[in-house]
Amino acid sequence: MTVPPLKKQRTHPDAANARIYEATASAPVNIAVIKYWGKRSEALMLPTNSSLSLTLDQDQLQSKTTVRVVVDADGKENDAALWLNGNREKLSGRVTALLARMRALRVTKEAKDASIPRLASKPLLIASVNNFPTAAGLASSASGLACLAFAVNAALQLELPPADISALARLGSGSACRSLFGGFVAWDMGSKPDGSDSVARQVASETHWPNMCALILVASATQKEMPSTAGMQTTVETSPLLQHRIQAVVPDRMAAIEKAIAARDFDSFAEITMRDSNQFHAVCLDTFPPIFYLNHVSHRVISLITMYNQVKSKSNGRKYTVAYTFDAGPNAVLYLLKEDVAEVLRLVNSYFPNDVDSASGSAVDEYYGLSKQFLKAESKTVEQTEKTLEAEVSKGVKKFEETGGLKRIIYTTIGDGPRILGAGETGETVSLFTEAGVPK
């Protein structure tokens, strides 16, 4: 990874001619199709099973982080301050541990080369923003911690390869290790006690399956009642079904879905994805007391996609046209091929009424985003075909009674891994800090 030269000196209000090292990065969301749930080591963030995810296009869904190291300004050694979406936040134990590990790597580097700047113990200012709902089932912690590790690597000039940054990001959030790569990414659980073989790897690049897309149906943008960390621990302690999943189900599914991805076999990919989502939430229900992440909107989405696949298979000869999956939250992620996006979006619209279709301007843009391009049928023939399809689907699934069941629809594709947006002289315009060190 090549990072532009960092700016080595500029005015700072806390210290005359303070030297500032800074980097700004972005990192993508990843949505798993083989779910990770449960840890065998909380301290090292080692999972009870392997997992596999798709990295989504960070031009649509991203965390952006600026890390600033002020060398000469007043501050305690190893101090750090964090702002998330503009609000000052206390550093969690995991973030503190991640920063300590990366500072230690800088200490080692400085010990080997007396000529490089002494950055290891200097205060860090960290600002991070997400352009999607935080803690609502869209893996914000994964993209956020991946972005933090990537930006710290640049700001401290560690020059680590992506695989090493991935292993460090895991210390902050397990699934963050997958957001260090684009495309299709596996996280192998490993078996060594020190976690050295619990690593993420790219199964296929973002260009491997170019027409793979995702529609995210946001059923709630509020924080979930049961955080993932607490839910996982309770599941590990109480669910017999989890043990069956770990030992008898996931290993075969991992092999099967990697094979499906390699062959671009959507039918196999879709069935494995939906089965694994179903089992993940069954494990949550098997937890005692049970954990409920899906809501009534989620259940209706599952019914709609199930019926649509059955009806559609009669005309297109494919077993599945859409695959649904749900992380630890009520929001549905629909994986499908680009040629099917328009029809599926319009079907979803017909089943989940909203308040914005009669509106215009910003309300429509906020609700649909890029998916707005698929709203209008290409011809009267297509429109009539879809009406016939909808009539068939409606025989098995009732339309959602309430307006506003979905809060937002996000269309995106498969994307690349983290990016350095700017560092030093090149980072002025993208930095999340003002010259004075205040979050913008």
Side-chain angles (χ1 to χ4, degrees):
M1 178 183 65
T2 301
V3 177
L6 289 169
K7 188 172 186 179
K8 293 193 175 181
Q9 191 167 350
R10 68 180 175 198
T11 303
H12 189 277
D14 294 336
N17 298 320
R19 290 171 295 162
I20 296 174
Y21 295 77
E22 181 179 286
T24 300
S26 66
V29 167
N30 74 77
I31 300 292
V33 290
I34 304 295
K35 307 297 186 183
Y36 140 63
W37 194 251
K39 306 182 191 77
R40 68 180 192 275
S41 170
E42 183 73 32
L44 296 176
M45 297 293 286
L46 302 179
T48 54
N49 64 269
S50 298
S51 58
L52 190 142
S53 62
L54 278 64
T55 299
L56 303 183
D57 181 9
Q58 62 189 291
D59 290 332
Q60 309 307 318
L61 298 166
Q62 68 167 217
S63 293
K64 179 181 175 183
T65 300
T66 296
V67 174
R68 175 177 290 189
V69 189
V70 184
V71 177
D72 298 327
D74 294 335
K76 297 178 181 178
E77 285 195 353
N78 300 315
D79 198 11
L82 169 67
W83 289 265
L84 177 60
N85 293 324
N87 299 313
R88 180 70 181 268
E89 301 283 347
K90 183 179 179 180
L91 269 69
S92 68
R94 290 181 186 174
V95 171
T96 301
L98 169 61
L99 295 178
R101 186 71 67 90
M102 298 190 80
R103 287 183 189 275
L105 293 172
R106 179 66 191 187
V107 168
T108 301
K109 187 170 184 176
E110 291 172 5
K112 294 178 180 178
D113 187 350
S115 68
I116 64 175
R118 308 289 102 174
L119 305 179
S121 64
K122 301 305 179 182
L124 297 176
L125 300 180
I126 303 163
S128 185
V129 294
N130 299 323
N131 67 350
F132 55 91
T134 300
L138 284 181
S140 58
S141 62
S143 59
L145 270 297
C147 197
L148 174 62
F150 201 71
V152 171
N153 174 67
L156 292 183
Q157 301 181 341
L158 296 176
E159 300 178 327
L160 299 172
D164 290 356
I165 306 173
S166 173
L168 288 164
R170 189 196 74 218
L171 299 176
S173 171
S175 53
C177 69
R178 297 191 306 249
S179 279
L180 264 296
F181 300 92
F184 302 79
V185 185
W187 176 15
D188 297 320
M189 63 176 288
S191 59
K192 296 180 180 179
D194 66 356
S196 58
D197 59 345
S198 183
V199 294
R201 58 183 170 85
Q202 188 180 64
V203 171
S205 76
E206 60 270 22
T207 61
H208 169 71
W209 205 339
N211 58 338
M212 178 70 82
C213 300
L215 283 173
I216 302 174
L217 311 183
V218 180
S220 173
T222 59
Q223 190 162 339
K224 54 201 175 193
E225 293 181 11
M226 174 66 78
S228 297
T229 299
M232 285 184 191
Q233 185 59 31
T234 306
T235 299
V236 169
E237 293 171 355
T238 65
S239 172
L241 181 57
L242 177 66
Q243 301 309 315
H244 170 72
R245 170 175 166 77
I246 291 167
Q247 297 165 20
V249 178
V250 171
D252 289 343
R253 279 189 183 157
M254 284 290 292
I257 203 163
E258 288 196 39
K259 182 178 178 181
I261 290 167
R264 301 186 191 90
D265 177 357
F266 189 83
D267 276 351
S268 296
F269 171 86
E271 182 162 330
I272 295 166
T273 295
M274 291 186 286
R275 283 183 176 273
D276 203 76
S277 178
N278 293 347
Q279 189 183 63
F280 161 57
H281 289 280
V283 164
C284 291
L285 290 175
D286 190 51
T287 302
F288 194 79
I291 305 170
F292 303 96
Y293 285 124
L294 305 184
N295 62 20
H296 62 304
V297 178
S298 313
H299 296 148
R300 192 64 64 88
V301 170
I302 293 172
S303 297
L304 175 61
I305 297 307
T306 300
M307 190 65 189
Y308 170 73
N309 279 329
Q310 291 175 5
V311 172
K312 188 67 176 178
S313 67
K314 298 174 185 177
S315 61
N316 68 2
R318 293 157 53 191
K319 193 173 182 181
Y320 304 106
T321 302
V322 188
Y324 62 76
T325 187
F326 296 81
D327 275 351
N331 302 325
V333 178
L334 307 182
Y335 285 120
L336 68 172
L337 303 182
K338 188 170 185 179
E339 55 264 34
D340 300 311
V341 171
E343 180 176 279
V344 171
L345 174 66
R346 293 193 285 264
L347 179 71
V348 168
N349 257 1
S350 71
Y351 271 78
F352 292 92
N354 61 67
D355 294 322
V356 303
D357 281 345
S358 58
S360 60
S362 61
V364 175
D365 291 340
E366 183 176 349
Y367 184 82
Y368 288 110
L370 288 180
S371 68
K372 187 172 71 169
Q373 65 187 290
F374 301 105
L375 285 177
K376 188 174 177 59
E378 293 85 351
S379 66
K380 291 291 184 182
T381 302
V382 170
E383 189 174 337
Q384 186 56 50
T385 299
E386 290 181 1
K387 284 183 178 179
T388 302
L389 176 73
E390 183 182 328
E392 286 295 307
V393 173
S394 67
K395 294 177 182 179
V397 184
K398 290 196 307 179
K399 292 190 177 182
F400 199 71
E401 299 83 359
E402 306 166 24
T403 298
L406 297 179
K407 313 304 179 188
R408 184 182 178 193
I409 298 176
I410 301 169
Y411 164 74
T412 187
T413 55
I414 309 307
D416 58 345
R419 305 167 184 167
I420 290 294
L421 304 179
E425 296 284 2
T426 69
E428 295 283 342
T429 58
V430 297
S431 176
L432 295 176
F433 287 112
T434 65
E435 184 78 13
V438 177
K440 292 179 180 177

